Amino acid sequence: MSVASASARRQLSDLGPVAQLRAGRLARRLPQLAVGLVLYGVSLAMMVRGALGLAPWDVLHSGFIRHVPITLGQAVVLFSFVVLLLWIPLREVPGIGTVANALVVGISADATLALLDQPDGWTARIALLVVGVVANGLATALYIGAQFGRGPRDGLMTGLARRTGLSLRLVRTGLEVAVVVLGLLLGGALGAGTVLYALAIGPLAQLMLPWCTVELELTQPPR
């Protein structure tokens, strides 16, 4: 195999669900997807217990559950499927990882919250926040690198960018500002952790993604 061919196969592919399964290396990719999604929920719960601010979408989730008798994890699942409905006019195609993301992250978050208490000291709370943000970056790299498709919120971002012609950075910033503002109006939890997450998650995921991207067994390089 040439170096160019190996590099192409290691790039992130945009495949449909059947093609994702036919791309091989399932013994590596499926466990990696599962670990990434579970870790994503764990990292979300760690930031909640740190009580120093949440990721932008979780500001919305935390505000929503102040008015509706459901758990944070259930709100994550609910909003995931609401966002997936927005994929329809954008003509985004969900993958196996998209649906798994919509279900597993919220369940994992609720399970972790049931086991993890909020510490009293500032040192422990800051540690929970920092470890949670770093773990979220790793979780993002793991589930995306497994090559089973984007999560609901990531797909909304890429779909809007494709349909509007705007940059991914601008679309992501606009979406996150919008959900934070809506979350604040609902009484969601905003804090220093929200700023830390916004600044750190992109660089962390970009750093870790090459380590976690699985080379696919394709008959030809993905377009």
Side-chain angles (χ1 to χ4, degrees), residues 68-90:
V68 179
I70 60 175
T71 66
L72 182 66
Q74 289 168 347
V76 172
V77 174
L78 174 62
F79 274 90
S80 293
F81 283 99
V82 170
V83 169
L84 281 177
L85 292 177
L86 299 178
W87 282 36
I88 297 173
L90 297 174

Side-chain angles (χ1 to χ4, degrees), residues 19-209:
Q20 289 170 358
L21 292 174
R22 290 177 175 173
R25 304 198 66 184
L26 296 182
R28 159 75 186 275
R29 292 168 58 218
L30 286 171
Q32 179 174 315
L33 173 66
V35 170
L37 296 179
V38 170
L39 181 60
Y40 202 106
V42 171
S43 68
L44 188 164
M46 293 177 72
M47 288 186 279
V48 171
R49 290 298 187 233
L52 294 171
L54 300 175
W57 279 93
D58 295 323
V59 175
L60 174 59
H61 302 147
S62 66
F64 183 75
I65 64 174
R66 292 173 64 90
H67 306 276
V68 179
I70 60 175
T71 66
L72 182 66
Q74 289 168 347
V76 172
V77 174
L78 174 62
F79 274 90
S80 293
F81 283 99
V82 170
V83 169
L84 281 177
L85 292 177
L86 299 178
W87 282 36
I88 297 173
L90 297 174
R91 297 181 181 177
E92 290 288 295
V93 180
I96 295 168
T98 308
V99 178
N101 183 302
L103 294 169
V104 175
V105 171
I107 294 171
S108 172
D110 272 352
T112 306
L113 288 170
L115 297 172
L116 184 64
D117 293 326
Q118 181 175 317
D120 295 325
W122 278 95
T123 301
R125 290 171 60 193
I126 292 172
L128 272 178
L129 169 64
V130 173
V131 174
V133 171
V134 174
N136 192 271
L138 176 58
T140 300
L142 284 169
Y143 97 76
I144 292 177
Q147 308 237 43
F148 282 110
R150 296 177 291 275
R153 294 155 186 80
D154 291 333
L156 177 62
M157 174 187 66
T158 56
L160 284 171
R162 179 172 52 82
R163 297 285 286 182
T164 63
L166 300 174
S167 69
L168 282 174
R169 178 177 299 180
L170 182 59
V171 171
R172 175 168 181 163
T173 300
L175 280 173
E176 294 190 346
V177 168
V179 297
V180 165
V181 170
L182 182 56
L184 287 176
L185 291 174
L186 293 172
L190 178 70
T194 308
V195 178
L196 175 63
Y197 182 93
L199 293 175
I201 192 61
L204 284 171
Q206 184 175 357
L207 172 67
M208 297 175 181
L209 189 56

